[in-house]
Amino acid sequence: MKSLVFSCFFTLSFFGFSQHDGLSELNSLVKPRMRVIIDNDLGGDPDGLFQLAHHLMSPSVEIRGVIASHLYEQGFGGPGTSEYAKEQAMKIVKILELENSVTVYTDKNQSMTDVSEPIDSDAVQLIIKEAMRTDTNLPLYVVCGGGLTNIASAYLLEPKIAEKITLIWIGGPEYIDMAIPPPGFTTLEYNLGIDIKAAQVIFNDSNINLWQVPRNVYRQPIMSDAELLTKVKGKGKLGDHLFNVMKEALAKIDKWNLPMGEVYIYGDNPLVLLTAIQSSFEPDPSSSTYVIKQAPNINASGIYEANLKGRNIRVYQQLDNRLLFEDFFAKLALLGR
């Protein structure tokens, strides 16, 4: 009997959750069916930390590493460094007691200056090593909610990874045949602007299987502050931490005199929707819609240009935000039991 109890405890602890955790029952029902590398500027807009937490609570994905990437030099009301991003990521990893199973990597805090010159790092080598594995049949997704420096560098160092991964990127402006830009929009979209050269490598030169979530679509995942107060705050240690992260971010924004209303855009969270909570049979993000487009060229200013020889890429149009947020809230509730 003691042996059986120990065996059950070990199985649940392997996923980072104790046997008293409400997520343990979910973990017992689900097996990983894909590998995921998370590459995100986790020291910037707090939506990345919500995305990280949601992914780490999702047992259908095997997280092979987290890359805390660099941001703009001025950051998001704080340092834009990869090291700062790692500090923020580790707070969530520790709350979930995953220090022994999830590694957080930093990059070189540099964006590319030439499309032929990669910026190598342990983070880049992680992508290459995982993509080139031959001992697993689980598909590999590299999900990116910031600049494309690391994945572009990995491709330049080992082009064979293009045939072995699916890249999901939150970034890029609207396509003029699909959507109207938002009021007061910037021509250079935020994530693309972190590293234009890297975006040129991915769009113009590579043959990587790309799923893109452009600005008009990543503006769709909106959570109200009332939902934040009732469905995140008070939901265990993780819920309280995420609430405080958001509260601090809103305080910073308030000092910038930007009226935010009573909602916030959690634009990085589709990275979870498009991977961890794909449909059961014929796995795919079947409740979200997309079109197939030819990849445009990206010019030196970060603007799309027609490319009649561009490969086909998947560009999302509409996201299933009900599934996205209800799954997140449910997992927080299970964790907080």
Side-chain angles (χ1 to χ4, degrees):
M1 184 65 180
K2 287 183 179 179
S3 175
L4 177 61
V5 172
F6 176 78
S7 176
C8 290
F9 177 80
F10 178 80
T11 300
L12 298 176
S13 296
F14 179 79
F15 290 99
F17 305 105
S18 74
Q19 59 184 343
H20 305 294
D21 196 306
L23 274 178
S24 62
E25 186 172 5
L26 179 63
N27 290 333
S28 71
L29 295 172
V30 180
K31 293 181 179 180
R33 60 177 181 174
M34 64 182 68
R35 295 171 291 152
V36 169
I37 293 175
I38 297 169
D39 183 350
N40 208 345
D41 51 357
L42 299 167
D45 189 337
D47 61 341
L49 296 176
F50 280 71
Q51 170 263 316
L52 174 64
H54 195 176
H55 251 135
L56 292 178
M57 290 190 291
S58 300
S60 65
V61 297
E62 186 179 292
I63 303 298
R64 300 303 302 168
V66 176
I67 300 171
S69 63
H70 69 283
L71 196 54
Y72 294 94
E73 187 175 345
Q74 68 272 24
F76 185 88
T81 65
S82 181
E83 290 76 18
Y84 177 74
K86 179 177 179 178
E87 289 177 13
Q88 305 314 303
M90 286 304 301
K91 293 176 183 178
I92 290 175
V93 171
K94 289 177 180 177
I95 289 172
L96 292 172
E97 300 177 6
L98 292 171
E99 304 99 309
N100 295 328
S101 56
V102 174
T103 302
V104 180
Y105 297 80
T106 57
D107 64 22
K108 292 291 182 65
N109 289 308
Q110 296 175 322
S111 295
M112 294 174 60
T113 57
D114 190 286
V115 294
S116 64
E117 296 181 8
I119 300 175
D120 199 3
S121 66
D122 289 343
V124 170
Q125 290 301 316
L126 163 72
I127 297 171
I128 296 172
K129 181 179 178 181
E130 194 62 37
M132 300 305 292
R133 282 177 60 185
T134 58
D135 61 339
T136 178
N137 292 321
L138 292 180
L140 175 61
Y141 290 80
V142 179
V143 299
C144 183
L148 289 165
T149 308
N150 299 307
I151 181 62
S153 295
Y155 169 77
L156 288 172
L157 289 167
E158 180 48 88
K160 291 180 182 178
I161 70 169
E163 304 167 3
K164 302 176 183 297
I165 69 172
T166 296
L167 170 62
I168 305 178
W169 182 48
I170 307 289
E174 300 75 13
Y175 288 87
I176 58 173
D177 60 331
M178 293 175 60
I180 297 172
F185 72 98
T186 57
T187 302
L188 179 60
E189 187 274 329
Y190 188 86
N191 284 349
L192 196 157
I194 295 172
D195 195 333
I196 295 175
K197 296 297 183 186
Q200 289 180 309
V201 170
I202 297 299
F203 278 79
N204 304 1
D205 302 328
S206 85
N207 58 330
I208 290 174
N209 183 30
L210 174 62
W211 297 1
Q212 183 186 8
V213 183
R215 179 169 55 192
N216 60 297
V217 183
Y218 73 65
R219 284 167 49 82
Q220 295 173 13
I222 295 175
M223 186 196 308
S224 75
D225 293 345
E227 289 175 306
L228 185 70
L229 284 165
T230 59
K231 297 184 177 182
V232 178
K233 183 182 180 183
K235 304 304 180 185
K237 190 174 181 180
L238 179 60
D240 285 340
H241 175 71
L242 291 173
F243 170 76
N244 287 326
V245 164
M246 200 61 236
K247 186 177 179 180
E248 291 173 8
L250 291 173
K252 292 177 183 177
I253 294 171
D254 188 56
K255 292 180 180 178
W256 302 336
N257 197 30
L258 294 175
M260 299 297 291
E262 55 185 273
V263 303
Y264 199 82
I265 296 171
Y266 294 79
D268 286 343
N269 288 55
L271 296 176
V272 184
L273 176 69
L274 302 181
T275 53
I277 42 181
Q278 291 185 10
S279 59
S280 48
F281 296 102
E282 295 87 33
D284 199 56
S286 59
S287 57
S288 298
T289 63
Y290 63 88
V291 297
I292 299 297
K293 292 183 68 72
Q294 281 188 307
N297 272 326
I298 292 178
N299 67 23
S301 298
I303 306 300
Y304 299 143
E305 293 180 344
N307 178 14
L308 299 181
K309 296 182 179 180
R311 73 192 185 284
N312 286 338
I313 63 173
R314 183 183 290 199
V315 179
Y316 274 86
Q317 293 178 299
Q318 190 71 42
L319 301 170
D320 185 350
N321 290 312
R322 184 213 63 81
L323 175 61
L324 173 60
F325 284 116
E326 288 300 328
D327 184 75
F328 175 64
F329 296 145
K331 285 171 178 169
L332 270 183
L334 287 171
L335 182 66
R337 280 183 183 176

